[in-house]
Amino acid sequence: MMQPPKLKRPVPKYTEKQLWERYLGATEELLKFIKAGDIDTFLELVDQRQQLMEMMQALPESERDFSSTPECDAMREQIKPMDMQIMYKARTWLNKSRRNNAQVRNYDVTGYGANAGLFSREY
């Protein structure tokens, strides 16, 4: 059977300012979803924000006119505390997740979980 042709989607062209605005918006959304505990959406947004950063880095030098402006500096200053909150909340979530996993493993090994009796039987 013949495969349908793969269409290349055109990559939208954004200015550096538009990319920074989108980066700020993605950062705000990251903070919102990590606070809500929606880790799946949070991880998707992390990927999207990384793509925005890659798009900014891929801009030709001649099109990088926004990053040296006071407006961009203000945007960076707005992003910094949000990044700190995101990192703190992500670490907190990761530590809590690790503790929960350790408790589940301990629960199973002591003979109370799904494998109850597996380790406590004498043969």
Side-chain angles (χ1 to χ4, degrees):
M1 184 171 196
M2 196 168 153
Q3 295 289 329
K6 291 187 180 182
L7 300 175
K8 277 193 158 188
R9 292 185 181 193
V11 177
K13 183 83 168 141
Y14 297 108
T15 65
E16 186 181 31
K17 181 179 181 179
Q18 289 170 325
L19 290 171
W20 272 105
E21 289 167 345
R22 289 175 177 267
Y23 189 87
L24 173 61
T27 303
E28 291 167 343
E29 291 296 305
L30 280 171
L31 187 56
K32 181 172 82 174
F33 283 101
I34 193 80
K35 282 181 176 179
D38 187 344
I39 301 305
D40 292 333
T41 304
F42 172 80
L43 293 173
E44 288 175 27
L45 287 167
V46 167
D47 289 340
Q48 289 177 21
R49 193 172 87 150
Q50 179 62 35
Q51 290 172 359
L52 289 168
M53 182 56 69
E54 290 169 5
M55 290 169 71
M56 281 189 261
Q57 292 170 344
L59 283 174
E61 199 65 39
S62 61
E63 295 180 28
R64 294 184 190 187
D65 56 353
F66 181 71
S67 57
S68 58
T69 65
E71 187 179 356
C72 187
D73 291 341
M75 210 176 278
R76 283 189 187 115
E77 290 302 314
Q78 199 176 350
I79 290 170
K80 281 180 189 178
M82 286 189 283
D83 274 345
M84 296 301 289
Q85 288 180 55
I86 290 166
M87 288 189 312
Y88 174 78
K89 291 193 176 297
R91 283 188 191 119
T92 302
W93 174 83
L94 183 60
N95 289 336
K96 182 180 176 185
S97 180
R98 285 179 179 160
R99 277 193 309 275
N100 288 345
N101 285 337
Q103 286 176 336
V104 167
R105 279 193 302 275
N106 188 38
Y107 184 75
D108 282 345
V109 169
T110 58
Y112 295 108
N115 296 321
L118 183 65
F119 295 108
S120 60
R121 287 191 187 138
E122 293 183 26
Y123 291 96

